[in-house]
Amino acid sequence: MPASNSGSKAQSGAPRDFIRTIVDADMKAGKNNGAVHTRFPPEPNGYLHIGHAKAICINFEIAAERSGLCNLRFDDTNPVKEDVEYVDAIKDDIAWLGFDWGDRLYFASDYFGRLYELSEQLVEQGDAYVDSCNSDEIRELRGDTTVEGKAGPYRDRAPAESLDLLRRMRAGEFEDGAHVLRAKIDLTSPNINLRDPIIYRIRHVEHHRTGNDWCIYPMYDWAHGLEDSFEGITHSLCSLEFENHRPLYDWFLSKLGVHHPQQIEFARLNLSFFVMSKRHITTLVEKGAVSGWDDPRLPTLRGLRRRGYTPGSIRSFCREIGVAKFNSTVELVKLENELRSDLNANAQRRLAVLDPLELVVTNWPEGKVDMVPAINNHEDESAGTRDVPFSGRLYIERADFMEEPPKKFFRMAPGREVRLRYGYYVTCTGVEKDEATGEVTRVLCEYDPESRGGNTADERKVKATMHWVSVDHAGDAELRLYDNLFQVPNPMKFKKGKTLLDNLNPNSLTVQHAKVEPSLMDAQPGFTCQFERTGYFTVDTVDSKSGAPVFNRAVSLRDSWAKVEKQAANQAAQRAKKK
RNA sequence: AACCCCAUGGUGUAAUUGGCAACACAACUGGUUUUGGUCCAGUCAUUCCAGGUUCGAGUCCUGGUGGGGUUACCA
């Protein structure tokens, strides 16, 4: 199970939404014997992203909350687009999220035989016929939203003749495209899906699971409802774009007189600063804008996982955003908030200096090393402490020292006393500079031997507590600081002649070399911790090596000092403008 | 263009089904703090518009406006 305190705050009762309301009403009315059974039905043609996570959470959680079941079913009806590689990746991602489909792993391809038999029944009933028009002719005859469809020459083909042709299609007597099986519904329907939709098409293609057993493959509309029916699904939850397919879903099931689940549609997830569609993510991968499908800047589950997102944070995010039929865009900060909330409670703290500046403690005894205890997690006492070496030469953050500090700057400055976290109070006594550039190369200070651990007997206050790492004990680590992949909230909005790529953020990845406390040098891939005062980092699962760790920044800490700085900068700019 | 769906703070969702618009995030104030983190307190909408029904409308009706989906031998 994922380490998580997910749901710790959304405590105002169980989630409520229109789907849960329908399901509960059905159960109360005794429909389906009062049971609920859902399914998550991906096509194995790509990797899952956080939008899929929303659907996964909805299906698995609605069932679990009501002691029901949720199946995992691969909708592998189109062999030209699918592959086992994706089957394995999808299973892995769902399990990582923490959901268990038990022994209920199904494939549409396992139903090919039953699906075919029912199609013969439909033909015998006179509800389907074999059409021998080619795809252009079919499209032409079907019309469009302004033009009514017209019957083609084969629509009134006798059932016996259609049945014979269907059997020969199945037997492989025809080339791709020679015939199709179509439902006989209504060519004049304003809903195009009802204008004699295709049920089977001929495709002499090897299927990743059934090999060459079949040369006709069922279309989504034919397969999906029946799969739901076979599995005893009670509520078939899908996204809004299938709304217009529901009449067809219902038509097939009622014509066949089989178990009839209820299809309910909900809005897909949109997240600001991200693109969710497979097509666009593919573009990013192919154009080299990202390193692959598991790039930590991508909203793919593999990317988020590598970035340092926890399963619990994704699940609580999905719970928080709710379910509705309105096409909305959730702010990225909402997701980040869930991650911070999870990690704040569960991640251990470590000391790491991202942009090192040397600090010399001039009154520190030569050669002395003091192992000071550092608290692993203030939010979780059971996480205990660890000892960190403190010595006379330290690294501090360059941004934590200013020779001429502005008003609200609390950190180190000449003459000022600050606390080095878990260490000692130190007072800045001077600086050393590069004579040519004027850049500060070292900061000098004196420590108070009575302040070990960060407290003094006289309880005098300091305004800042800073993190540090001992120079002689520090390890070198590569840090990958991620920012939004796109620089605009809606990357799909671009001017004529421009593309998605023009909205990329050129600074979405910054690589830095940091000084880290010794314990971090053998951190295991996937280990996630907070670098105190900077952010949450996770050891990269691809490029990190023992002794040469690589850390990905999952998310930074909230930084109210940055806001103060920004405000000050804005005010200064405005003042300059006035002059 | 036709058909279908949708519309509640800056964002995402609630509202016991016609009865005081709630929660989370964001933003802003202030307090606490050995992380400028966390935590705590406070501020921030009369529900797209116009009519109607009603003692009473976010909720029901009519008409607008705006947004999304569909028009594949993909799912």
Side-chain angles (χ1 to χ4, degrees), chain A residues 3 5 102 137 142 153 186 251 283 294 296 304 309 343 430 439 441 443 447 533:
Chain A
N5 68 333
E137 292 165 335
R142 184 165 40 219
D186 179 5
W251 190 89
T283 303
D294 63 348
L304 291 169
Y309 270 83
L343 261 17
E439 188 193 19
T441 51
V443 177
Y447 84 114
R533 300 211 305 137

Side-chain angles (χ1 to χ4, degrees), chain A residues 469-490:
Chain A
V469 169
S470 169
V471 170
D472 291 334
H473 306 86
D476 288 295
E478 177 180 325
L479 259 41
R480 296 177 183 173
L481 308 182
Y482 297 103
D483 195 355
N484 300 337
L485 220 209
F486 294 98
Q487 48 196 163
V488 291
N490 180 5

Side-chain angles (χ1 to χ4, degrees), chain A residues 179-385:
Chain A
H179 309 280
V180 288
L181 181 68
R182 297 179 74 180
K184 195 170 180 177
I185 308 181
D186 179 5
L187 259 356
T188 66
S189 172
N191 183 344
I192 311 287
N193 293 307
L194 261 20
R195 319 248 269 224
D196 289 12
I198 289 167
I199 293 175
Y200 271 104
R201 75 284 217 190
I202 302 172
R203 278 248 216 290
H204 290 271
V205 175
E206 185 172 305
H207 186 283
H208 64 100
R209 295 188 77 245
T210 58
N212 292 305
D213 291 353
W214 293 87
C215 63
I216 59 171
Y217 291 96
M219 296 289 288
Y220 165 85
D221 287 300
W222 174 246
H224 202 91
L226 284 168
E227 292 155 17
D228 286 343
S229 181
F230 295 160
E231 294 175 17
I233 300 304
T234 59
H235 301 270
S236 180
L237 314 179
C238 60
S239 46
L240 242 30
E241 68 265 34
F242 292 101
E243 245 168 352
N244 295 343
H245 291 246
R246 182 163 16 103
L248 182 51
Y249 182 101
D250 292 335
W251 190 89
F252 279 136
L253 295 180
S254 52
K255 279 291 173 190
L256 262 14
V258 294
H259 167 66
H260 194 149
Q262 180 181 1
Q263 174 178 308
I264 304 170
E265 311 84 11
F266 60 87
R268 298 214 282 213
L269 169 68
N270 295 295
L271 243 193
S272 65
F273 295 101
F274 276 130
V275 287
M276 219 59 92
S277 89
K278 177 163 49 206
R279 201 179 106 228
H280 297 305
I281 297 177
T282 302
T283 303
L284 296 171
V285 172
E286 285 175 352
K287 298 281 182 185
V290 294
S291 62
W293 285 87
D294 63 348
D295 189 290
R297 291 165 291 185
L298 251 21
T300 54
L301 260 19
R302 303 179 99 65
L304 291 169
R305 184 186 340 189
R306 191 173 167 194
R307 172 82 169 252
Y309 270 83
T310 59
S313 66
I314 293 174
R315 289 169 62 158
S316 60
F317 170 75
C318 289
R319 203 168 303 124
E320 279 278 301
I321 58 174
V323 193
K325 300 188 77 159
F326 178 64
N327 289 294
S328 58
T329 300
V330 179
E331 289 174 337
L332 175 59
V333 289
K334 184 91 173 169
L335 212 213
E336 294 180 334
N337 174 65
E338 294 305 320
L339 212 219
R340 288 196 187 100
S341 157
D342 187 353
L343 261 17
N344 177 54
N346 300 305
Q348 295 211 353
R349 316 285 127 125
R350 292 292 185 269
L351 299 177
V353 176
L354 277 52
D355 183 13
L357 171 65
E358 196 176 328
L359 176 71
V360 180
V361 188
T362 52
N363 60 338
W364 186 263
E366 180 78 31
K368 181 182 172 182
V369 176
D370 187 3
M371 298 299 291
V372 296
I375 295 168
N376 283 329
N377 187 350
H378 289 262
E379 311 292 320
D380 175 13
E381 214 174 304
S382 70
T385 63

Side-chain angles (χ1 to χ4, degrees), chain A residues 58-75:
Chain A
I58 288 171
N59 278 292
F60 276 92
E61 289 180 355
I62 286 180
E65 288 157 9
R66 290 157 183 76
S67 307
L69 297 171
C70 179
N71 297 354
L72 170 58
R73 178 172 73 231
F74 286 95
D75 215 351

Side-chain angles (χ1 to χ4, degrees), chain A residues 132-146:
Chain A
S132 307
C133 292
N134 64 39
S135 60
D136 289 340
E137 292 165 335
I138 289 175
R139 191 181 321 121
E140 183 66 33
L141 286 165
R142 184 165 40 219
D144 58 39
T145 50
T146 55

